[in-house]
Amino acid sequence: MTNFSSTDGSAAPSSASSSASASAPETGPGTGPASTAPTVVWSKPEDERSGSPLLVLLHGHMANEEDLMGILDFLPDEFTVASVRAPVALGAGFTWFPLMQDAAYSVDKVTAAVQDVIDWVDSIKQSHSSVTLLGFSMGMAVASSMLRARPADYAAVVGLSGFVVPTDGSTFFNDSALVAKPVPFFWGRDQEDPVIPADRIEFTHGWLNRHTKLTKVLYAGMYHSINAQELGHVREFLQMVVPGVSRTPLSR
């Protein structure tokens, strides 16, 4: 079994990284407002993106926009993939917001980071047939929060080894709209994940069951990482739920 992991709690794929880098040389600001446009690395040059389904990758705590690009070889070819850098420099990488156990954490900091990504997606989504989100660890919190803010905007969401944040009374989240029209959501994790606390997993499990069309898969021996088996399941999920994505088998 191939694992993609790193010691800082992020996903740092290695076995597919060389081919991903070759297919994704363009790194730079998005095309949204200058104050909020993130740094993004793309899987395809700009002249090959129009009309394709868009898959937005959201990395974990203290990682960066290159961190998830090693999974490209496992994803359906129809997608244009855009991997987004979190806004706050921290250590050797970046973070979306303070860890929930930190005194500096607040839901307002979560929603501010999430709104910036939403604004950037708004600036490019007209060029794509649909938008799907994939987040690892803290990136899953960002992806699920984007879904909760704009439930009608996304074809599907993939959350890997991550969690959903409580609303703490924030009106940013439109959970009632998700209950009325649930969106397909893939949640993969290891029950022995040492990073995400049990109470956060319990909350996440309950929220996803109530608000989404949940596909939940558990993996043994993966801990806080991503493995090839999980990526195979992610590929199959995306092929089933995203319009315009063919069900071709993985040939690499």
Side-chain angles (χ1 to χ4, degrees):
M1 180 179 295
T2 302
N3 278 359
F4 306 103
S5 63
S6 70
T7 56
D8 66 1
S10 64
S14 57
S15 67
S17 60
S18 60
S19 60
S21 297
S23 63
E26 179 187 339
T27 307
T31 56
S35 62
T36 59
T39 296
V40 179
V41 59
W42 294 87
S43 66
K44 298 177 181 179
E46 188 171 2
D47 60 0
E48 296 179 10
R49 302 173 196 164
S50 181
S52 63
L54 177 66
L55 178 63
V56 178
L57 304 185
L58 303 157
H59 65 75
H61 180 64
M62 293 181 65
N64 62 42
E65 69 280 7
E66 295 283 356
D67 190 61
L68 291 172
M69 292 301 285
I71 73 174
L72 282 185
D73 284 352
F74 294 86
L75 300 173
D77 293 335
E78 290 87 353
F79 280 106
T80 291
V81 179
S83 189
V84 181
R85 178 191 293 178
V88 181
L90 184 65
F94 298 84
T95 191
W96 299 98
F97 50 85
L99 296 172
M100 290 181 68
Q101 61 266 33
D102 291 351
Y105 171 83
S106 70
V107 171
D108 286 345
K109 290 181 179 178
V110 176
T111 59
V114 169
Q115 186 63 58
D116 282 351
V117 184
I118 290 174
D119 290 344
W120 172 75
V121 171
D122 281 350
S123 74
I124 62 168
K125 67 183 182 182
Q126 68 276 5
S127 298
H128 297 276
S129 58
S130 65
V131 180
T132 297
L133 308 174
L134 185 155
F136 173 80
S137 193
M138 185 183 281
M140 175 176 163
V142 176
S144 56
S145 296
M146 291 174 68
L147 173 67
R148 298 166 76 181
R150 297 275 196 88
D153 283 13
Y154 308 107
V157 179
V158 174
L160 307 178
S161 300
F163 59 97
V164 173
V165 298
T167 65
D168 289 352
S170 173
T171 58
F172 182 83
F173 304 98
N174 190 8
D175 288 358
S176 59
L178 272 173
V179 172
K181 192 175 181 180
V183 171
F185 198 113
F186 179 96
W187 185 30
R189 58 178 295 268
D190 186 339
Q191 285 185 305
E192 303 301 321
D193 185 332
V195 173
I196 311 299
D199 60 342
R200 206 165 304 160
I201 293 297
E202 182 179 1
F203 174 84
T204 299
H205 190 197
W207 187 90
L208 289 172
N209 271 320
R210 291 191 301 272
H211 296 88
T212 70
K213 293 180 180 177
L214 179 61
T215 299
K216 183 185 74 169
V217 186
L218 299 175
Y219 302 90
M222 187 174 70
Y223 305 106
H224 193 67
S225 66
I226 302 169
N227 67 25
Q229 181 186 29
E230 181 177 42
L231 289 173
H233 293 154
V234 168
R235 179 185 178 88
E236 292 171 359
F237 171 80
L238 294 173
Q239 289 173 327
M240 291 183 64
V241 303
V242 179
V245 177
S246 63
R247 299 189 184 185
T248 55
L250 184 64
S251 59
R252 300 179 183 88

